[in-house]
Amino acid sequence: MKPTNTNCIFCKIAKKQIPTDILYENNKTIAFLDINPVNKGHTLVIPKEHYETIIDIPEDLLIEVIKTTKKISIALSKISDGITIAQNNKKSGGQEIPHLHFHIIPRYKNDGLKYNWPTKKYKEGETQQLVEKIKNLL
Ligand code: 5GP
Ligand code: ZN
């Protein structure tokens, strides 16, 4: 059985159970306007099947989601000056809807949006330890 979640709003969108501004779909993915756009044209791309995060989704399906993300990005780039793509995972990662999605945000000169996350500093030797730790997890 295909993964689906009856309580998931994006599964409902994929099944056309709620009104949505759909830009594109194929048998594996669907792209639609975000209901609360950061800029006009802000689009979400999802797999039709329910997977929560980039960790969970099979690679071959992720490739399909990325292909649709590129297709939409090409179209949006023709009506904007740049494109920002974002993808959040888990609550702590800023994910509000637990069904994998890519945000494609068309950007405009002087649109006033900027990353303003505060940055941190590494201590002496800390990066070597961190690199080793992560490499061992690959
Ligand atoms: P997240 O924080 O999970 O990365 O982003 C979820 C996004 O889904 C938000 O930008 C939010 O505006 C959008 N969203 C939430 N509910 C709906 C909905 O019912 N329809 C549409 N089109 N977008 C939604
Ligand atoms: Zn879902």
Side-chain angles (χ1 to χ4, degrees):
M1 212 177 75
K2 286 185 176 168
T4 188
N5 178 333
T6 46
N7 295 321
C8 172
I9 196 135
F10 286 0
C11 281
K12 287 184 181 148
I13 286 175
K15 291 189 197 135
K16 320 278 175 55
Q17 290 170 346
I18 51 175
T20 307
D21 294 299
I22 295 170
L23 297 175
Y24 173 79
E25 70 177 310
N26 57 26
N27 58 341
K28 300 267 180 217
T29 69
I30 184 161
F32 53 92
L33 292 182
D34 193 296
I35 204 166
N36 288 314
V38 169
N39 267 339
K40 288 180 184 174
H42 179 169
T43 298
L44 301 175
V45 177
I46 66 169
K48 287 185 171 177
E49 292 177 11
H50 183 90
Y51 292 99
E52 184 174 343
T53 71
I54 199 160
I55 315 298
D56 308 307
I57 189 170
E59 255 178 40
D60 55 347
L61 183 54
L62 178 61
I63 287 166
E64 295 305 317
V65 176
I66 295 281
K67 279 160 75 174
T68 299
T69 300
K70 181 170 170 70
K71 188 177 181 71
I72 300 295
S73 298
I74 290 168
L76 289 178
S77 72
K78 292 176 182 164
I79 55 163
S80 64
D81 305 315
I83 300 284
T84 295
I85 292 174
Q87 197 273 313
N88 301 320
N89 296 278
K90 297 281 193 185
K91 253 192 175 32
S92 298
Q95 185 175 19
E96 180 197 328
I97 308 287
H99 180 133
L100 179 132
H101 50 281
F102 281 81
H103 295 256
I104 311 172
I105 302 166
R107 301 297 306 276
Y108 305 95
K109 235 173 258 168
N110 305 319
D111 64 12
L113 299 177
K114 58 177 171 209
Y115 284 116
N116 57 359
W117 290 344
T119 58
K120 300 183 171 60
K121 295 266 179 274
Y122 286 112
K123 291 192 207 103
E124 181 86 26
E126 197 180 349
T127 55
Q128 286 96 311
Q129 280 181 10
L130 186 60
V131 166
E132 278 314 304
K133 186 174 174 182
I134 297 168
K135 277 164 77 176
N136 285 329
L137 296 169
L138 292 174

